[in-house]
Amino acid sequence: MDIVYIEGLQADAVIGVYDWERDIRQPLVIDLELASDNRRAAANDAIADAVDYDAISQAVVAYVQASEFELIETLAERLATLVRGEFGIGWVRLRLAKPGAVKAAASVGVIIERGERR
């Protein structure tokens, strides 16, 4: 299995459980690792045979910007489902960070893996 990754994808969202968080947009940072078999794309040097990380990035950012979840766990799960369903990715590892959510920490977040590594 090969992995295509997207690191440091940024988008603002309404996210959080506190009333004040429901009235603002907060920055989120997303890292994705996507299962791929890069051999065909490499052999053909053709984008049609590769994971379209630009299209995935655009879809993830659009989804995050339109979302209004309380929990980052919920958003992470929905993003993993989006990437796997819309782009046919069999396995995804997703890191969703909420910088500044805890005063003493640079960032907090979740990491999830969905699907089977092959």
Side-chain angles (χ1 to χ4, degrees), residues 8-115:
L9 194 59
Q10 298 180 29
D12 292 340
V14 174
I15 189 90
V17 297
Y18 300 110
D19 289 341
W20 64 267
E21 289 181 299
R22 308 309 300 158
D23 294 329
I24 64 168
R25 301 187 69 73
Q26 297 183 69
L28 300 175
V29 180
I30 304 108
D31 296 333
L32 297 163
E33 294 180 13
L34 312 163
S36 177
D37 183 344
N38 294 339
R39 291 174 289 192
R40 185 172 178 184
N44 298 331
D45 197 28
I47 186 68
D49 296 326
V51 171
D52 190 342
Y53 51 80
D54 184 50
I56 292 171
S57 297
Q58 288 182 37
V60 167
V61 167
Y63 190 90
V64 170
Q65 290 175 335
S67 71
E68 292 192 10
F69 297 109
E70 291 188 359
L71 301 177
I72 58 172
E73 292 85 349
T74 305
L75 180 55
E77 190 68 40
R78 302 287 170 82
L79 289 173
T81 299
L82 169 82
V83 168
R84 293 187 69 222
E86 286 194 23
F87 296 95
I89 303 295
W91 172 86
V92 62
R93 183 171 198 251
L94 185 144
R95 180 180 184 270
L96 176 58
K98 188 176 174 185
V102 173
K103 188 175 181 178
S107 188
V108 298
V110 297
I111 299 171
I112 64 171
E113 287 186 32
R114 296 296 178 263

